[in-house]
Amino acid sequence: MGELMTEKHVKYILSVEKKKDDFESVVMEHLRVNGAYWGLTTLDILGKLDAVDQDEVVSWIMQCQHESGGFGGNIGHDPHILYTLSAIQVLALFDKIDVLDVENVANYIASLQNEDGSFSGDMWGEIDTRFSYIAICSLALLHRLDKINVERAVKYIVSCKNLDGGFGCTPGAESHAGQIFCCVGALAITGSLHHVDKDLLGWWLCERQVKSGGLNGRPEKLPDVCYSWWVLSSLILIDRVHWIDKGKLVNFILDCQDKENGGISDRPDDAVDVFHTYFGVAGLSLLEFPGLKAIDPAYALPVEVVNRIFLGK
């Protein structure tokens, strides 16, 4: 088994925030709250969350909130459900959810549920099963699932199930590993996994592993480190993770490291970024790689954080 360059990955993540004029930082300007979630969760899995100034992060996150209760991707940006979940997750990492006006945030999320049970991402009305997962995950973390019609939300997700066992972004859309995670994760959180054909979906998901050991998101696509999360978490939630070759996947992720400067890329020898660094480390955590904190496959947060929220531990 190869080596995980932990210290270099920590150094890389901390450097991204400092270099505000770099290309990577500029192109992430509109989703910096997502970037904070990816980077900080990676640090926590690596056991290095104390490398950042907690008060500074929490203060900045709260400046991204709108009167509506939702969060933008950065200060002064429009609110969207995507950034709202990331903000909640970052606050959860630091055990700071209590700084939120929970009712205000929960009401914002609930306002985005449509009559058919689906969710819009923001006031402009785009519908996607990603937003169903985000709404359900966010409200569960806030202990406010009662704010929405859970039964209709589940019914809409099930309507996006395909003949191959997978799920798409809307009814009739093709199966995609990212959407499958969103749908399976939402069904897991709401206790509705009985709607999933676990063998059929498990077969579709394990077929995503290619010769290099990496996973792709759809048939005939190249492998990508981020699917180490989307596919693995789904397989774990339906108890079919033993259907893939874990050792080959570990090696694929480790081969995507920049061993000199830190960070993980989508494929070996490509440029690294915070997004793939997070999904690579999170994937290794799901694979029980030595020295990493365990991550919850449904909530995408360290297990100890999830236990603190739901069990008070």
Side-chain angles (χ1 to χ4, degrees):
M1 191 179 287
E3 181 187 354
L4 179 64
M5 317 301 287
T6 298
E7 294 302 328
K8 290 187 176 178
H9 295 325
V10 171
K11 193 174 176 183
Y12 163 71
I13 291 166
L14 295 175
S15 74
V16 171
E17 179 52 31
K18 292 185 177 77
K19 299 174 182 171
K20 291 257 183 354
D21 296 326
D22 275 18
F23 175 75
E24 183 177 359
S25 186
V26 171
V27 296
M28 281 184 61
E29 180 70 18
H30 66 293
L31 44 77
R32 195 170 293 281
V33 169
N34 290 154
Y37 159 70
W38 297 326
L40 292 168
T41 309
T42 305
L43 291 177
D44 201 3
I45 297 168
L46 295 171
K48 304 289 184 179
L49 190 58
D50 57 0
V52 298
D53 185 325
Q54 171 182 319
D55 293 336
E56 188 180 326
V57 175
V58 171
S59 171
W60 169 73
I61 285 284
M62 294 309 295
Q63 290 179 68
C64 297
Q65 189 176 24
H66 288 248
E67 288 180 11
S68 64
F71 286 78
N74 208 334
I75 297 170
H77 289 228
D78 290 343
H80 194 286
I81 201 168
L82 273 169
Y83 312 123
T84 302
L85 172 59
S86 288
I88 293 168
Q89 289 170 315
V90 168
L91 294 174
L93 289 173
F94 294 119
D95 196 14
K96 289 289 186 180
I97 285 181
D98 58 353
V99 305
L100 288 174
D101 179 340
V102 170
E103 287 303 306
N104 192 25
V105 180
N107 286 336
Y108 168 75
I109 296 167
S111 74
L112 296 170
Q113 187 171 31
N114 302 305
E115 195 62 31
D116 63 356
S118 65
F119 283 84
S120 301
D122 59 13
M123 61 183 286
W124 304 110
E126 180 191 3
I127 294 171
D128 190 311
T129 45
R130 284 182 305 156
F131 309 147
S132 296
Y133 165 76
I134 287 167
I136 287 167
C137 184
S138 298
L139 292 173
L141 291 171
L142 298 174
H143 301 288
R144 290 296 189 280
L145 265 178
D146 58 336
K147 286 280 184 184
I148 59 169
N149 188 321
V150 174
E151 189 179 340
R152 279 191 192 172
V154 168
K155 190 175 179 183
Y156 179 78
I157 290 168
V158 173
S159 76
C160 298
K161 185 165 68 169
N162 292 319
L163 292 173
D164 56 18
F167 294 82
C169 56
T170 52
E174 72 170 320
S175 296
H176 183 285
Q179 304 297 150
I180 288 169
F181 161 75
C182 291
C183 294
V184 171
L187 294 175
I189 291 169
T190 56
S192 307
L193 279 176
H194 56 279
H195 290 291
V196 177
D197 184 332
K198 295 179 181 178
D199 283 343
L200 185 60
L201 177 58
W203 173 83
W204 191 93
L205 288 168
C206 76
E207 284 291 308
R208 303 282 58 78
Q209 190 162 36
V210 300
K211 286 182 180 177
S212 66
L215 300 162
N216 61 23
R218 288 174 291 166
E220 304 302 322
K221 296 291 183 179
L222 293 172
D224 186 320
V225 156
C226 70
Y227 293 109
S228 305
W229 171 265
W230 310 118
V231 174
L232 266 183
S233 53
S234 301
L235 284 169
I236 289 170
L237 289 169
I238 62 171
D239 196 26
R240 299 293 183 276
V241 74
H242 53 288
W243 287 8
I244 64 161
D245 187 324
K246 294 183 185 179
K248 285 183 74 173
L249 179 54
V250 167
N251 289 333
F252 175 78
I253 297 171
L254 294 177
D255 284 346
C256 293
Q257 298 180 102
D258 181 334
K259 292 179 180 172
E260 290 183 21
N261 303 307
I264 297 174
S265 58
D266 58 347
R267 283 178 284 281
D269 302 322
D270 282 358
V272 304
D273 57 63
V274 176
F275 176 85
H276 288 94
T277 302
Y278 163 64
F279 286 112
V281 172
L284 289 172
S285 172
L286 290 176
L287 291 162
E288 300 176 322
F289 191 86
L292 298 181
K293 287 186 184 179
I295 190 166
D296 187 282
Y299 290 99
L301 284 168
V303 168
E304 63 183 31
V305 173
V306 175
N307 287 343
R308 191 167 65 215
I309 290 170
F310 294 109
L311 304 176
K313 291 182 179 179

